Amino acid sequence: MTAIYLKRKITPRVQNGHPWIFRNETADGSGEGVEPGTTVDVFTYDKKFVGRGYINPKSQILVRLLTRDKNEQIDAEFFLRKLKKCWEYRQRTGYTENCRLVFGEADGLPQLIIDKFNEYFVIQTLALGIDRWKPEIVAALKTIFNPKGIYERNDVPVRELEGLTQQKGFLTDPFDTKIIIKENGLQFHVDIDQGQKTGYFLDQQDNRKAIQHIVKGADVLGAFTYTGTFEIHAAAYGAKSVIGIDISENAVEQARRNAVLNNVDNICKFETANAFDVLKQWGKDGRQYDVVMLDPPAFTKSRETIQKAITGYKEINLRGMKLVKPGGFLVSSSCTSLVHPELFMQVIDMAAKDARRNIRQVLFQTQSGDHPVIRSMENTQYLKFLIVQVQ
Ligand code: SAH
C-alpha cells in the first residue's frame, strides 16, 4: 500500500482526530503517481502509523482518513460495519423515522451524506475516494434496511473540485420520488429528485419543535420558508395567522400543498417574494407580528467572501426585528459553518442596535443530534438557531 508521510508540524492535529490531510502537509512529492481514489496509509514524519484513508492528488485535501486501526481493511465489510454503527447511534439518540443517517466526517465517513426518509434513502458522495465505494455503500443500506428506494443527489458543484461530474438518479429500481414524511406529528411532501439539497432540511427538526409555545395565538411571519415546515408547525401549535415567503415559486407551491396536507391552509398563507424587499416594505407599511422567523441560505460558501454573509445576515435580521411587536419574538437561523456562533450573535447584536431594540435570549442551539458535532472540526457545527424576545 502507498505510504504518505506527514510533515513534523502537522502530526498533532491529525493525531488528535482531524481526518483531513492537505497536500502541503505531507512530505514533498507525496501521492505523485498514485491512482486517485485509492486507499493509502498515513504515517508521522518518523514513520509511526496514523491512519488509513483515501487519496486524491487532484484535490487540495490529499487524504481523508477512514480508520486509525492498522488492522482494519477498507472493504465492503468496513462500510457495512460503519453504517450499522451510524444506525445504532441514531436509534440511541431517538432519530429513527427520518434522520441524517450518515453525516460525513462526524460519522468517520468523510464526504458521505445519507438522509433516511422513512423507507427511502438519499445519498451524496462528495469526494472521489468515497464515490468509488458507492456500490458497497448501497449494498450495505440494502442489507440493513431493505429500503423501498435509494436515490443519488450528487448534483453538487463541490464534486467538480474532486474531478467528479454532477449527477443524480436511482441507485435501486426506479420509484416515485415524490414522497410524504412525518415529523412531529405533521406530514410533509418531499421531492427527493427536485427538492433543494437532499429534498428536506432534517437538521431543523428539533428547532421546529422549539417554537411550540411562543407561536400560540400569535400572528407569525416566516421568511425563507422553503416548503413551509416552520410555518406549518406554527399553525399546528396554535398560531392565529401565518404568512410564509420564499423567492422560489416551486417551494411556495410545495408549501401550499403541505398546508393543505395538514389542514392548516386556512391559517397558513404563502407568497413568492424576495424577503429582503418584502420585509423592508412591510416595515415601512408599519406591519407588526408577534413572531418573525428567518432561515436564510448561506449567502457565501467561501471564507474570502464571508463579509457578504455577515452583511446579509445583519440586514435581514435588522429588517425582521423591526417587524416584531414589543415583547414578541425573533426566531433566527444561520446555516453556514463560516459564521461561527459567537460571530452570529455579534451580527444579531448589531442588528438590534441598529433597529434600536433590546433583545433577551430565550434559546440558542445548533442542528439536531442526528448531525453530531465533532468539537475539533468547526465545520461540523454549522447551524445556529436562536430565539430572542424583542422589547
Ligand atoms: N426553513 C426551511 C429551509 C430554508 S432554506 C426549512 O426548514 O425547510 C432557504 C430558502 O431561502 C430557500 O427555499 C430559498 O429558495 C430561499 N431564498 C433564498 N433567497 C431568498 C430571498 N432573497 N428571499 C426569499 N427567499 C429566499
Side-chain angles (χ1 to χ4, degrees):
M1 191 158 331
T2 304
I4 301 291
Y5 293 95
L6 295 175
K7 284 183 181 163
R8 194 180 191 130
K9 263 208 216 138
I10 301 306
T11 300
R13 198 198 85 232
V14 180
Q15 272 186 329
N16 288 339
H18 206 288
W20 292 0
I21 295 146
F22 289 85
R23 203 179 314 150
N24 61 6
E25 296 175 340
T26 57
D28 291 343
S30 289
E32 265 172 28
V34 180
E35 198 187 324
T38 50
T39 305
V40 297
D41 280 350
V42 176
F43 296 89
T44 59
Y45 70 98
D46 56 353
K47 302 196 170 48
K48 291 195 194 86
F49 180 83
V50 176
R52 184 166 288 147
Y54 59 77
I55 189 167
N56 187 356
K58 284 197 195 114
S59 167
Q60 289 286 331
I61 304 170
L62 184 68
V63 180
R64 290 174 168 102
L65 294 179
L66 290 163
T67 181
R68 289 167 189 272
D69 178 351
K70 213 175 8 198
N71 301 316
E72 188 166 45
Q73 299 310 314
I74 308 305
D75 51 19
E77 276 82 58
F78 169 82
F79 287 99
L80 181 60
R81 221 166 32 243
K82 291 292 268 191
L83 258 58
K84 278 184 178 163
K85 271 204 177 142
C86 290
W87 181 223
E88 256 169 52
Y89 167 80
R90 271 76 189 170
Q91 288 175 302
R92 289 286 306 271
T93 52
Y95 297 95
T96 48
E97 181 153 336
N98 312 306
C99 62
R100 177 145 294 187
L101 175 69
V102 180
F103 183 41
E105 278 70 358
D107 279 301
L109 290 167
Q111 301 303 299
L112 175 65
I113 300 292
I114 304 180
D115 279 353
K116 173 182 185 294
F117 298 116
N118 201 347
E119 295 182 284
Y120 297 92
F121 292 79
V122 180
I123 154 168
Q124 297 181 313
T125 45
L126 303 176
L128 177 67
I130 197 76
D131 190 70
R132 64 177 275 258
W133 291 103
K134 211 163 57 188
E136 287 77 7
I137 293 164
V138 167
L141 282 177
K142 286 182 176 169
T143 303
I144 305 170
F145 297 99
N146 189 22
K148 282 201 176 142
I150 306 174
Y151 202 73
E152 166 180 16
R153 279 301 299 268
N154 272 330
D155 48 332
V156 188
V158 74
R159 275 174 54 102
E160 286 172 10
L161 301 176
E162 288 276 320
L164 292 163
T165 56
Q166 293 193 47
Q167 61 193 61
K168 60 178 178 175
F170 296 102
L171 297 175
T172 50
D173 288 340
F175 56 94
D176 186 357
T177 50
K178 290 182 171 48
I179 59 170
I180 292 178
I181 64 164
K182 289 196 191 119
E183 182 186 287
N184 303 325
L186 298 167
Q187 287 188 293
F188 296 99
H189 291 285
V190 175
D191 185 337
I192 60 184
D193 169 59
Q194 296 290 322
Q196 295 182 25
K197 306 276 171 72
T198 60
Y200 189 82
F201 293 96
L202 290 166
D203 51 1
Q204 292 274 31
Q205 56 179 308
D206 291 341
N207 298 333
R208 295 187 188 106
K209 254 196 291 201
I211 64 169
Q212 179 165 5
H213 300 290
I214 58 168
V215 296
K216 228 159 250 154
D219 291 314
V220 178
L221 164 66
F224 311 94
T225 182
Y226 185 43
T227 56
T229 56
F230 272 97
E231 292 67 23
I232 287 159
H233 274 76
Y237 289 141
K240 187 159 42 142
S241 76
V242 185
I243 171 126
I245 50 183
D246 200 283
I247 206 162
S248 153
E249 181 79 51
N250 272 343
V252 166
E253 236 167 70
Q254 190 88 318
R256 288 189 183 126
R257 290 179 61 221
N258 280 330
V260 172
L261 186 64
N262 291 284
N263 273 320
V264 292
D265 50 317
N266 53 336
I267 296 169
C268 249
K269 302 291 172 198
F270 295 96
E271 284 179 30
T272 310
N274 184 326
F276 284 90
D277 301 342
V278 162
L279 266 58
K280 191 174 186 183
Q281 187 56 46
W282 290 356
K284 279 188 190 153
D285 297 346
R287 287 209 203 185
Q288 292 272 279
Y289 295 88
D290 299 298
V291 178
V292 173
M293 308 188 292
L294 310 170
D295 187 9
F299 293 131
T300 179
K301 291 231 179 331
S302 81
R303 219 167 276 281
E304 290 72 53
T305 52
I306 188 159
Q307 192 52 45
K308 218 173 90 187
I310 294 171
T311 309
Y313 284 126
K314 151 99 190 291
E315 191 61 33
I316 201 67
N317 279 285
L318 168 64
R319 291 178 190 190
M321 243 178 246
K322 285 184 171 170
L323 290 170
V324 180
K325 282 182 200 162
F329 296 89
L330 178 78
V331 178
S332 185
S333 300
S334 152
C335 61
T336 169
S337 63
L338 296 172
V339 175
H340 51 80
E342 299 88 288
L343 178 57
F344 179 66
M345 279 311 306
Q346 284 169 18
V347 171
I348 296 290
D349 286 338
M350 285 193 297
K353 196 167 166 232
D354 284 10
R356 297 206 190 83
R357 306 292 294 269
N358 288 315
I359 53 173
R360 290 209 290 181
Q361 182 179 317
V362 181
L363 176 150
F364 190 31
Q365 57 193 30
T366 187
Q367 69 259 13
S368 52
D370 53 340
H371 300 59
V373 173
I374 302 288
R375 302 286 304 166
S376 56
M377 288 199 77
E378 60 175 21
N379 59 347
T380 60
Q381 179 171 6
Y382 65 98
L383 189 68
K384 280 78 56 191
F385 177 78
L386 174 73
I387 302 182
V388 289
Q389 188 175 34
V390 184
Q391 308 289 349

